[in-house]
Amino acid sequence: MKKRVKIIIIVLSVIVVIGGGLVGLRTFLHKDKTVVQNYTVNKEIYENVIEISGTVSAAQQQTLNALGAGTVMKIYVKAGDKVKKGDLLVQLDDSDEVYNLEKHDYNMATTRLNGSPRDVSLMETQRVALVQKIADRKVVAAFDGVIVEINAAEGNSVKAGDKIGTLVNLDYLTAEVEIPETDVAKLQVGLPVILNFSASSKEGNGYVESWPAIGELTNRGASIVRAKIRIDDYPKEILPNYSFTGKIQIEEPVENITVERYAIGYEDGKAYVILARGNEKRYVEVEQYGRNYVKILSGLKGGEVLLQAGEIPKSGSATTRNQGGNNNRGNGNNGNNRSGGNNNNNRAGASGGMPAMPSGGAAPSGR
């Protein structure tokens, strides 16, 4: 009898312990469900841009070629020298050409005394050709610029067409970039271009200069137009054929301040928020920004942490079910989405969460 009583007491004790544990667990879970959520106010920059990449070229480039065969007599410049248009850069041996011209002038003087006017006229025409042959023994600068390279030395023998050096004008740079056919309609002459270079931490700035009235098909099977951009402002360390990435800015960037709608409460038709720091109640102006977000028009600057002020639909409700898998700010059919892999209308510099694209707004860039 005593043993049976003892077993009953033990069983009852176990039941009490388990019951207490279940009550505690229920209380804990219920407490978690009633915890007030925090929401961070996002400050986002929305851009409507076309992403580009390529390599830069000099504003002008002259390949210094020998126009005839001969010996290099004198080189007047070296790599890095600045020159002016018309400066003599390289002199080839022209002794034969000078001799032929002097002999011709002697014969022409005799003909003027004893020959016919027709003979004199023919010799004058021939003299122009001889003078040009002397000029062809000189390599001169076609524009103001900088000598990039010299590929010959005094005393070298060269053939007609041999490259002796390169002259470039670096007052500005140019580049040709591929624009997808879907973005060509957005182009305008003068649109600003912002470039980032692999060889420099500084940005370059330019603008769209022109594009052809005909497209072309790339070896990838994409239809594109090659637009020409001009870069007037670029880091001094950037040279022709350096690579870049960048963007053509279709519109000025727009700054939005957003937060989830559950952070907004309403009192007498006025919207308000509760700051987590100090539980301060602050009235704000808002407008709908997609399904689950609002745009803050005034009252907040971005970065604030807010307490939940609005009612969150219960799990399993019709509203929650309709929102499943669609926690975004729009349907994305506003014509500002990515196209051809090059058009980015994305968000940059967002603080806090990364909500999806707003309805009717530019697609977010800079993820």
Side-chain angles (χ1 to χ4, degrees), residues 10-79:
I10 292 173
V11 171
L12 290 175
S13 300
V14 171
I15 291 173
V16 170
V17 171
I18 293 174
L22 290 175
V23 171
L25 178 62
R26 181 179 178 184
T27 302
F28 176 77
L29 293 176
H30 180 72
K31 181 179 179 181
D32 280 354
K33 289 182 180 178
T34 58
V35 170
V36 176
Q37 296 290 328
N38 288 346
Y39 301 95
T40 301
V41 180
N42 303 316
K43 189 174 185 179
E44 307 165 342
I45 305 297
Y46 282 86
E47 296 181 309
N48 188 0
V49 302
I50 301 174
E51 290 186 346
I52 56 175
S53 62
T55 57
V56 295
S57 301
Q60 294 174 285
Q61 181 168 319
Q62 178 188 0
T63 300
L64 308 178
N65 292 326
L67 298 179
T71 302
V72 177
M73 299 300 293
K74 185 69 175 178
I75 297 177
Y76 294 95
V77 292
K78 63 181 182 298

Side-chain angles (χ1 to χ4, degrees), residues 20-332:
L22 290 175
V23 171
L25 178 62
R26 181 179 178 184
T27 302
F28 176 77
L29 293 176
H30 180 72
K31 181 179 179 181
D32 280 354
K33 289 182 180 178
T34 58
V35 170
V36 176
Q37 296 290 328
N38 288 346
Y39 301 95
T40 301
V41 180
N42 303 316
K43 189 174 185 179
E44 307 165 342
I45 305 297
Y46 282 86
E47 296 181 309
N48 188 0
V49 302
I50 301 174
E51 290 186 346
I52 56 175
S53 62
T55 57
V56 295
S57 301
Q60 294 174 285
Q61 181 168 319
Q62 178 188 0
T63 300
L64 308 178
N65 292 326
L67 298 179
T71 302
V72 177
M73 299 300 293
K74 185 69 175 178
I75 297 177
Y76 294 95
V77 292
K78 63 181 182 298
D81 284 353
K82 294 182 179 180
V83 299
K84 296 290 185 180
K85 180 179 179 179
D87 283 355
L88 177 60
L89 309 178
V90 180
Q91 175 68 62
L92 300 184
D93 179 17
D94 62 355
S95 55
D96 288 343
E97 288 75 17
V98 170
Y99 170 78
N100 291 335
L101 178 60
E102 291 180 352
K103 182 179 178 180
H104 181 78
D105 285 347
Y106 175 81
N107 293 335
M108 191 167 64
T110 303
T111 303
R112 288 182 187 279
L113 296 176
N114 304 316
S116 67
R118 176 62 177 169
D119 290 338
V120 173
S121 178
L122 290 173
M123 294 186 76
E124 287 177 346
T125 301
Q126 187 179 8
R127 187 180 192 278
V128 172
L130 292 173
V131 170
Q132 184 60 49
K133 287 183 177 181
I134 293 177
D136 289 347
R137 309 303 288 173
K138 297 177 173 63
V139 179
V140 299
F143 49 79
D144 295 355
V146 178
I147 299 295
V148 175
E149 58 181 353
I150 291 293
N151 301 323
E154 294 177 2
N156 286 171
S157 294
V158 295
K159 297 178 293 185
D162 280 357
K163 181 179 178 181
I164 298 176
T166 304
L167 169 67
V168 297
N169 174 5
L170 297 178
D171 288 346
Y172 61 92
L173 299 176
T174 64
E176 278 193 348
V177 295
E178 294 184 1
I179 306 297
E181 58 181 330
T182 50
D183 292 332
V184 174
K186 300 177 182 180
L187 289 178
Q188 296 180 40
V189 172
L191 282 177
V193 177
I194 302 173
L195 304 178
N196 296 296
F197 299 97
S198 301
S200 176
S201 59
K202 300 176 183 177
E203 289 185 342
N205 294 281
Y207 60 89
V208 176
E209 194 170 47
S210 63
W211 64 94
I214 186 171
E216 60 181 90
L217 195 65
T218 69
N219 54 13
R220 306 185 305 274
S223 295
I224 56 99
V225 163
R226 296 189 184 277
K228 185 177 181 181
I229 62 174
R230 171 169 168 158
I231 307 120
D232 289 300
D233 177 20
Y234 64 94
K236 62 180 181 180
E237 58 266 29
I238 299 304
L239 300 175
N241 297 320
Y242 277 23
S243 62
F244 68 85
T245 59
K247 56 191 177 183
I248 299 174
Q249 197 170 73
I250 308 301
E251 297 175 337
E252 288 291 329
V254 177
E255 181 179 273
N256 290 325
I257 298 175
T258 64
V259 72
E260 290 181 73
R261 63 188 178 93
Y262 309 117
I264 307 298
Y266 293 89
E267 183 178 70
D268 297 330
K270 295 182 179 180
Y272 69 89
V273 297
I274 300 174
L275 274 64
R277 185 174 183 178
N279 286 330
E280 176 191 347
K281 182 177 182 180
R282 183 180 298 179
Y283 287 97
V284 294
E285 290 185 79
V286 301
E287 69 177 30
Q288 192 66 28
Y289 197 54
R291 183 184 295 275
N292 289 329
Y293 287 80
V294 295
K295 184 189 296 185
I296 307 296
L297 304 179
S298 67
L300 298 173
K301 296 182 179 180
E304 297 92 343
V305 178
L306 308 178
L307 299 179
Q308 175 191 331
E311 182 179 353
I312 299 178
K314 295 181 179 179
S315 177
S317 68
T319 302
T320 304
R321 288 196 300 272
N322 290 338
Q323 291 171 359
N326 192 28
N327 184 18
N328 58 48
R329 302 182 187 175
N331 56 24

